[in-house]
Amino acid sequence: MLTPIAAAPAGVVALRAVGTVTTDDYDTVLTPAIEAAIMDHGSVRLVYELGPDFKGYAAGAAWEDAKFGASYLSKWKRCAVVTDHTLLADAVRAFGVIMPGEIRVFPVAGLADAMAWAAA
């Protein structure tokens, strides 16, 4: 499930993944938040936390993730991924070099730093 993080600075979409992320989360939470950011700011600044309660993606959500990223490719300004999951952090770093905009990984304890970086 994706839930908004209430303490996000103005202009930053901040979401927390808890349990299993499903296709419904993309349709009802992520896509509307990203589209609103693009409408209001022309670009996306995202903080995406995958903390200890994150279990993974449902099968359909993995496909939604691929489609989602491609749909808004030119709109990404900054993306902070907040996680202590080593494999996820390594994957973000590896694929981040081919993504537009800036992508940076922060530890879960660095959520406030991720918010500040994304907003800058």
Side-chain angles (χ1 to χ4, degrees):
M1 168 172 52
L2 292 177
T3 60
I5 300 172
V12 174
V13 175
L15 300 172
R16 178 173 288 126
V18 178
T20 302
V21 176
T22 67
T23 56
D24 190 51
D25 292 314
Y26 281 82
D27 295 338
T28 62
V29 180
L30 186 60
T31 299
I34 296 302
E35 289 178 350
I38 293 168
M39 204 172 212
D40 293 344
H41 306 286
S43 63
V44 179
R45 294 172 180 272
L46 176 69
V47 173
Y48 191 59
E49 182 182 3
L50 301 143
D53 296 328
F54 172 67
K55 301 301 179 212
Y57 291 93
W63 173 244
E64 285 298 315
D65 193 48
K67 289 189 327 186
F68 181 83
S71 297
Y72 302 102
L73 208 53
S74 66
K75 301 297 183 184
W76 293 101
K77 181 79 173 173
R78 284 193 162 183
C79 179
V81 177
V82 180
T83 189
D84 291 335
H85 295 280
T86 304
L87 291 176
L88 289 171
D90 290 346
V92 168
R93 287 184 191 100
F95 288 107
V97 298
I98 62 170
M99 296 297 293
E102 297 177 71
I103 297 177
R104 194 163 157 198
V105 177
F106 293 82
V108 170
L111 178 61
D113 292 335
M115 294 280 197
W117 177 82

